Amino acid sequence: MMSFQNNNKIKFILVFLIFFQLFYIANKRLAFKTEIFKNSFLKDFGSEYVMTKDILELKEITNDLKLEKFNISEKLSENVFFFQRSIEFLYPIKIDKKSENTFFSSEEEIPNNCIILNQYKHLTLAKC
Amino acid sequence: MLKTITQENNILIILSTIILNYILFLSSSLLILIKLNFILFIFFTLYYFFKYEKNKFLILFLLALIVISLGIPTDSWDARSIWLFKAKEFFYDHSIISIKNNYAEFSHNNYPSIAPAFAAGLSTLIGYWNEIYPKAGLTFMFIPPLIIISRFFDNNFFLISISIILFIIGKFLVNGELDGLVALYFVSSLIIIYNLKNLNNDIFYQCLTLIFFLIILSLLKVEGIVLLLCSFIGSMLIFYKKKYLCKNLIISFFVSIIPVLIWNYFCIYNNIGNTNSNYIFDINDFNNRILYLKNYILIFEYLLLNEKFLFSLIVFLVSTIYIKNKDILIYVSSISLIYILFLFIVYLSTPLDLEWHLNSASRIIKPIALFLSIFSLYSIFNKQHKI
């Protein structure tokens, strides 16, 4: 048993096994990319790997217009992915049901009580 | 002054910076102290590795984890919507108290949040947010439990333990989810407890280390509190004849549980949590499921036929047959059975669709799978060293 604990051949096999496991986790279970690692400390980096284009556009618009709060349409709220990811990604800009600035999907019909402020590639901003 | 810091003190300082970071986030006006505290965490971790840690594989392993964590997108739901979202809130609001607003209920605002606070501490030090590096703050939290594992296993045994950790915890070491942290803090606490019987002096430092580990465990996730209680009951079963140890353990457990009780009181008092009635546990769901065998079969299938749990169970049974360590057998089986019983009760009571909720089973059982495997290895290691 003593030889097992300090046996160099076993040590070599175990180190190789651990290296293989790390490689498997990084590349097969998770999508490791050297470009992500290289840029991992850049400000605001990383959203393009996990966010859809409409959410990226939403962030860009709210930043440009310096909105602190905004609202989204019923249809967009029902899209759980869009709703939750936009809350996470846009924070500290918050979703507020009372906000007049309401975003609709570009495919949605805008209600009559709303005035269209601007149309973007994926979204429409209206005052409701 | 640094020369007076012993190895035990150094570990205590590293652990205390993690807890202190959480305390400092209670106020929104302590940003400088949060930064200073995080610098102290980095300094004393480096100092520990420079002065005390002779195990180069541990350092290489930690570096590999940090590199992987910094090279992957943060895309799993729990990581994004719960843990790193909380970290982002704490970073921008400079405080955990802002959670009182109960904004974004889906992120379970009432969950304990020591780990997101630590990731927010790293972001506060860096000074800006992005979607990648804050989760490395969670990976940094693996340092104390891995130091404990390294202290109790030498050479090839340490490498086997790392391989086991990679097999059972896998991607949860780096992806921003907390199940890996829960499993490792739980197992490290149990190793510390089990070794109290071998100590004649120095029990004060070991109990203090244990208290810090248990505080962090209970503030990581909800199941951390349950694991703490299971550890307490299991420890009492093997130490009940040693009054001195029992007294110290009872004090340690009661001190450890105070912070999480305060957190839960704070949440109840401020009505923080998910107010969606679909997520509230109800005794009627339990009553409706308890008499049907198919529910037990389903839970058994998801929870206990999990390949990592089965592997660990087989390894544990084989090691028990050959090593015949009665203490470890009682210790491991009592804690595991209590936790599994608790999981059965939780799943039988779920307000959600049972099969859907059981998707979390493979993550929830990880602490016990790791516990079985590491203690199997530990009993082999102990036999060799005749402890």
Side-chain angles (χ1 to χ4, degrees):
Chain A
M1 283 298 279
M2 197 59 196
S3 60
F4 171 82
Q5 191 174 343
N6 295 307
N7 187 311
N8 282 334
K9 280 181 191 166
I10 294 171
K11 187 172 282 176
F12 177 78
I13 294 166
L14 288 169
V15 169
F16 177 77
L17 178 66
I18 290 168
F19 179 78
F20 175 79
Q21 285 177 294
L22 284 167
F23 185 81
Y24 176 76
I25 290 166
N27 287 289
K28 300 288 173 194
R29 301 297 313 274
L30 302 162
F32 181 86
K33 288 187 175 72
T34 43
E35 64 179 51
I36 298 181
F37 175 70
K38 280 182 199 163
N39 299 311
S40 55
F41 281 91
L42 284 182
K43 193 177 178 185
D44 295 329
F45 177 76
S47 52
E48 59 273 31
Y49 297 97
V50 281
M51 291 298 162
T52 49
K53 286 178 179 167
D54 47 0
I55 300 175
L56 290 170
E57 188 179 70
L58 180 63
K59 176 138 185 176
E60 204 181 321
I61 302 164
T62 49
N63 276 341
D64 288 347
L65 299 176
K66 293 188 172 55
L67 298 179
E68 285 179 4
K69 286 176 179 175
F70 66 96
N71 196 0
I72 56 173
S73 67
E74 279 295 314
K75 193 185 166 193
L76 286 176
S77 296
E78 282 164 13
N79 178 344
V80 178
F81 181 88
F82 185 93
F83 177 69
Q84 294 188 353
R85 290 277 151 112
S86 56
I87 285 181
E88 298 152 19
F89 182 49
L90 269 74
Y91 199 86
I93 303 167
K94 291 182 179 177
I95 286 188
D96 183 357
K97 289 283 164 204
K98 290 173 192 158
S99 172
E100 289 180 334
N101 296 308
T102 307
F103 286 93
F104 295 83
S105 155
S106 54
E107 295 146 14
E108 262 184 274
E109 243 181 63
I110 311 298
N112 293 334
N113 60 335
C114 299
I115 305 158
I116 294 176
L117 296 177
N118 211 337
Q119 280 196 317
Y120 302 89
K121 196 173 174 188
H122 303 282
L123 299 164
T124 302
L125 174 61
K127 209 168 195 104
C128 300
Chain B
M1 196 187 96
L2 278 174
K3 282 180 186 170
T4 59
I5 295 172
T6 61
Q7 192 171 7
E8 277 72 27
N9 284 337
N10 202 328
I11 296 172
L12 280 174
I13 292 171
I14 295 170
L15 287 165
S16 60
T17 54
I18 296 174
I19 297 168
L20 191 60
N21 176 78
Y22 190 53
I23 296 168
L24 291 173
F25 263 104
L26 290 173
S27 166
S28 57
S29 56
L30 300 172
L31 279 185
I32 291 175
L33 289 179
I34 290 168
K35 287 181 190 178
L36 186 68
N37 181 62
F38 212 95
I39 291 168
L40 284 177
F41 167 80
I42 295 169
F43 175 80
F44 280 103
T45 302
L46 293 174
Y47 184 75
Y48 182 88
F49 287 133
F50 177 73
K51 187 161 185 197
Y52 296 113
E53 190 58 72
K54 294 182 181 83
N55 187 346
K56 287 173 200 148
F57 288 111
L58 172 63
I59 300 169
L60 288 173
F61 179 62
L62 281 166
L63 282 174
L65 291 185
I66 291 164
V67 168
I68 296 172
S69 174
L70 291 173
I72 54 168
T74 314
D75 56 3
S76 77
W77 189 86
D78 274 27
R80 284 205 67 83
S81 293
I82 303 180
W83 310 117
L84 287 159
F85 177 59
K86 280 182 199 295
K88 196 174 187 180
E89 283 185 293
F90 302 161
F91 168 71
Y92 280 109
D93 301 336
H94 312 309
S95 168
I96 57 174
I97 300 297
S98 63
I99 222 153
K100 272 203 300 192
N101 303 333
N102 214 13
Y103 180 64
E105 280 184 352
F106 65 81
S107 76
H108 301 279
N109 290 315
N110 56 343
Y111 281 8
S113 47
I114 195 166
F118 200 65
L122 172 65
S123 307
T124 304
L125 182 66
I126 302 283
Y128 53 79
W129 184 265
N130 83 14
E131 299 294 314
I132 306 294
Y133 85 80
K135 70 178 174 300
L138 306 179
T139 306
F140 282 144
M141 286 185 73
F142 281 104
I143 292 170
L146 287 172
I147 285 175
I148 296 296
I149 300 277
S150 164
R151 287 192 75 183
F152 287 98
F153 292 108
D154 288 340
N155 300 317
N156 290 345
F157 277 97
F158 174 75
L159 293 175
I160 296 172
S161 70
I162 291 297
S163 185
I164 289 171
I165 289 167
L166 281 168
F167 172 66
I168 293 172
I169 298 177
K171 66 177 182 179
F172 294 95
L173 288 161
V174 287
N175 74 345
E177 295 193 45
L178 302 190
D179 305 277
L181 278 173
V182 170
L184 265 167
Y185 272 86
F186 170 63
V187 171
S188 305
S189 307
L190 291 172
I191 291 176
I192 295 169
I193 294 169
Y194 189 77
N195 272 279
L196 289 176
K197 69 173 187 174
N198 301 321
L199 295 171
N200 295 321
N201 46 30
D202 211 20
I203 196 164
F204 173 76
Y205 279 112
Q206 289 306 313
C207 281
L208 206 54
T209 311
L210 175 66
I211 289 171
F212 284 4
F213 264 93
L214 292 175
I215 286 175
I216 296 173
L217 172 67
S218 65
L219 289 170
L220 281 171
K221 283 187 83 180
V222 178
E223 54 262 41
I225 308 158
V226 181
L227 289 165
L228 186 149
L229 293 173
C230 295
S231 311
F232 175 62
I233 298 166
S235 310
M236 288 299 120
L237 284 176
I238 61 160
F239 289 134
Y240 72 97
K241 281 180 186 164
K242 298 178 178 177
K243 282 189 178 166
Y244 175 66
L245 267 179
C246 257
K247 192 182 115 195
N248 278 290
L249 274 173
I250 290 170
I251 294 169
S252 301
F253 278 104
F254 276 91
V255 172
S256 311
I257 209 162
I258 291 171
V260 78
L261 290 180
I262 295 172
W263 171 257
N264 282 310
Y265 174 76
F266 169 78
C267 289
I268 293 166
Y269 184 77
N270 289 292
N271 203 19
I272 300 169
N274 200 318
T275 53
N276 185 337
S277 59
N278 294 333
Y279 291 93
I280 295 170
F281 279 80
D282 188 340
I283 189 77
N284 290 330
D285 291 309
F286 180 74
N287 292 338
N288 291 340
R289 288 198 186 100
I290 192 169
L291 295 174
Y292 295 99
L293 186 64
K294 64 171 186 178
N295 294 321
Y296 293 91
I297 294 170
L298 199 62
I299 298 171
F300 184 86
E301 222 172 86
Y302 275 85
L303 205 61
L304 306 182
L305 294 185
N306 171 285
E307 79 277 9
K308 284 163 188 173
F309 177 78
L310 271 184
F311 163 83
S312 304
L313 185 64
I314 292 165
V315 169
F316 179 69
L317 291 175
V318 171
S319 74
T320 305
I321 291 165
Y322 283 99
I323 308 294
K324 296 182 176 65
N325 187 328
K326 199 179 155 194
D327 275 353
I328 286 191
L329 175 66
I330 295 169
Y331 188 56
V332 175
S333 37
S334 60
I335 292 171
S336 304
L337 286 173
I338 296 166
Y339 184 64
I340 290 168
L341 178 69
F342 169 81
L343 292 182
F344 264 84
I345 294 169
V346 168
Y347 282 118
L348 285 172
S349 321
T350 181
L352 305 166
D353 175 65
L354 180 59
E355 201 156 0
W356 183 85
H357 198 178
L358 278 165
N359 285 321
S360 63
S362 63
R363 289 190 289 117
I364 304 285
I365 200 69
K366 277 184 194 299
I368 296 300
L370 189 68
F371 180 39
L372 292 170
S373 293
I374 292 289
F375 266 77
S376 307
L377 187 67
Y378 192 59
S379 61
I380 299 167
F381 184 74
N382 275 359
K383 182 159 177 135
Q384 187 191 348
H385 290 261
K386 292 184 175 58
I387 291 173

